[in-house]
Amino acid sequence: APGEVAPLLWAKGRTRTRSRSRVVLPQQAIIIKRSDNSATKRSRIVNTKVAVDSAFFAAGTIYSGALFSLMIFRPKWLTTRRILQNLTCVLPLVALYLYLLVKSWEPDTLSLMMPGSLSDGISQGSVNPQFFPTASTISTLLSRELTAASLWIHLLVGNFVIGRYHLFERT
């Protein structure tokens, strides 16, 4: 439960460091109380989730870099043709894009993308730019780490599909 205090052994002499705490052998130990609240555990979980998202982002960038390298440096190589012939090679990037897009969605995302209200547009009876995003709302949206990551993977997927199309149409 939050606020509970867990004992921690500490003494002069032989110590070893473990996760910012000092743990010692039971020789001449003094008991020191430290709080082990749930906020610390929550921050560890959040840091783990951020690390997983960063690892997925890095893996997607490396994967697409490998595919782009094949298209640029070895376009006529038979292995390149076999790998890129089928569009299933882009499925890992599409799955990563969808994962990051879903994770980046927040309650205000839609209102940042399309500011304005539908009732104001209907009451005026004409085409209004009430749903056109502004530069400030787009910069707010893209300042979020997961949203920027999903945009990056989106651009990689688009560029890869177009590059693959030109690779097979050109030769």
Side-chain angles (χ1 to χ4, degrees), residues 53-54 99-101 103-105 144-151:
D53 295 339
S54 297
Y99 169 78
L100 289 173
L101 185 65
K103 291 262 315 196
S104 69
W105 198 266
R144 299 174 182 166
E145 187 174 340
L146 282 175
T147 307
S150 67
L151 173 66

Side-chain angles (χ1 to χ4, degrees), residues 75-147:
K76 295 183 181 185
W77 196 27
L78 185 61
T79 306
T80 303
R81 297 281 178 179
R82 278 192 210 138
I83 292 171
L84 300 177
Q85 187 70 35
N86 199 345
L87 267 177
T88 57
C89 62
V90 80
L91 285 181
L93 288 174
V94 171
L96 177 62
Y97 168 65
L98 290 175
Y99 169 78
L100 289 173
L101 185 65
V102 169
K103 291 262 315 196
S104 69
W105 198 266
E106 292 183 13
D108 66 337
T109 301
L110 191 59
S111 65
L112 286 172
M113 288 177 6
M114 294 188 298
S117 72
L118 184 59
S119 61
D120 291 342
I122 291 174
S123 66
Q124 293 177 359
S126 63
V127 176
N128 287 329
Q130 83 255 17
F131 289 128
F132 293 168
T134 62
S136 64
T137 59
I138 294 297
S139 66
T140 302
L141 190 63
L142 293 179
S143 67
R144 299 174 182 166
E145 187 174 340
L146 282 175
T147 307

